[in-house]
Amino acid sequence: MPFDPAIRPLTPHEARVLATLMEKARTVPDSYPMSLNGLLTGCNQKTSRDPVMNLSDAEAQEALDSLKLLTLAFESSGNRTTRWEHNFQRGVGVPEQSAVLLGLLMLRGPQTAGELRINAERWYRFADISSVEAFLDELQERSAEKGGPLVVQLPRAPGAREQRWAHLMCGPVDTSAGVSAPSSGGGGITGTSAALQARVDALETEVANLRSTVQRLCTELGISPDSAPMSPPGQD
C-alpha cells in the first residue's frame, strides 16, 4: 500500500528531513548516504528553505526513526557512522519527476510551475513548463487506490499571473492562505530572483563537492586540511 498522507500525514520535521535526503542524493552524491550531522546541516540551511528551521539532533533523529517505520527512509551500512537514505519513490509510488516536484515543494513551500522548473535544474531537467504541469496534474488527480492526491493548486494570489502549488504530504492545506502575495524568500521567488537563487545553490553544491574532495585527498595523504600548503598563484 503506497504512503497515504490522508491516513498518516508527515510532520513538518519529517517532511524537512525526507526532502533534504532527496535533495542531497541528487545535488551532492559524494556525501550521500548522509550522516546525522550532514543531514542536520542540510535541514537547517538558511537558503532554499521555506520555512527556515532549526532542528536539533534529537528532533532530526526522531524524524528519521519515524520515516524508517513508514519505509520512507532506511539506514545504510557505514564504516563508523550510521548513514541514511530515502526511499521516497518506492514508498510513495511515484516516478522520478513527481518525486522531484514533491521534494521541492516540501523544501521551498508553494511554488508556481515556472518556479518549480527553475528550482528543479539541479535535480531533474524538465523539457518545459507543460511537462511540469502535466506531472502536477497527475499528482493532483491521483486515485485513492494509489494513495490519493499529493498536491493541490492554490487560488491565484492578488496581482499574480500564475497559481502556485502546495504539497499534501503533511495533510490538507488551508487554501485560503495561498491567496496572499508571494514573499521574496522561500517558495515565493520569481523570475530573475529564482534564477539567481538557482545559481547560488549551484555554487554552494560545487563548494561542498570541492571540500569533500579536499578532505578525501588529505585523508589519503595523512595530512590535515588546515595544514595543506598553499602556493601563491604563478609560484611552485
Side-chain angles (χ1 to χ4, degrees):
M1 177 70 180
F3 173 77
D4 186 349
I7 297 176
R8 201 296 199 178
L10 298 179
T11 67
H13 288 176
E14 290 167 355
R16 175 57 53 86
V17 167
L18 179 58
T20 300
L21 284 172
M22 295 166 67
E23 176 191 52
K24 301 308 180 184
R26 293 168 172 85
T27 60
V28 284
D30 288 346
S31 302
Y32 187 83
M34 302 195 72
S35 65
L36 179 61
N37 286 340
L39 178 60
L40 196 62
T41 299
C43 289
N44 294 336
Q45 281 181 208
K46 304 304 180 185
T47 60
S48 308
R49 301 290 184 265
D50 185 10
V52 172
M53 292 185 178
N54 188 26
L55 273 66
S56 66
D57 287 8
E59 289 170 332
Q61 186 61 60
E62 182 181 2
L64 284 168
D65 292 338
S66 297
L67 291 170
K68 182 178 180 181
L69 292 175
L70 294 170
T71 69
L72 294 177
F74 60 92
E75 294 179 47
S76 177
S77 58
N79 294 331
R80 289 172 294 180
T81 305
T82 300
R83 293 184 173 273
W84 291 86
E85 298 182 56
H86 75 85
N87 187 42
F88 189 87
Q89 288 165 241
R90 183 173 297 179
V92 179
V94 294
E96 168 78 359
Q97 298 92 328
S98 297
V100 166
L101 296 175
L102 287 167
L104 287 168
L105 289 172
M106 285 191 284
L107 280 182
R108 294 171 174 257
Q111 297 157 78
T112 66
E115 289 170 343
L116 284 166
R117 187 189 176 211
I118 292 174
N119 293 332
E121 279 293 308
R122 294 188 301 140
W123 295 41
Y124 179 92
R125 288 204 168 183
F126 289 92
D128 48 38
I129 293 180
S130 296
S131 177
V132 174
E133 292 173 335
F135 281 101
L136 289 170
D137 288 338
E138 186 177 282
L139 287 169
Q140 183 171 236
E141 297 165 5
R142 199 161 176 255
S143 66
E145 291 75 16
K146 293 183 178 180
L150 295 177
V151 300
V152 63
Q153 192 170 30
L154 303 176
R156 193 185 308 277
R161 292 182 299 173
E162 298 180 65
Q163 289 178 261
R164 294 186 296 164
W165 295 79
H167 72 86
L168 298 175
M169 297 295 292
C170 294
V173 299
D174 181 5
T175 55
S176 64
V179 300
S180 59
S183 63
S184 60
I189 56 177
T190 59
T192 303
S193 296
L196 179 59
Q197 184 62 58
R199 289 188 178 184
V200 171
D201 293 344
L203 287 172
E204 288 180 348
T205 298
E206 185 175 351
V207 170
N209 284 331
L210 288 172
R211 285 178 176 171
S212 177
T213 300
V214 170
Q215 181 65 52
R216 184 170 61 253
L217 290 173
C218 288
T219 300
E220 293 175 357
L221 294 172
I223 62 175
S224 168
D226 296 332
S227 65
M230 296 291 289
S231 299
Q235 298 184 19
D236 294 326

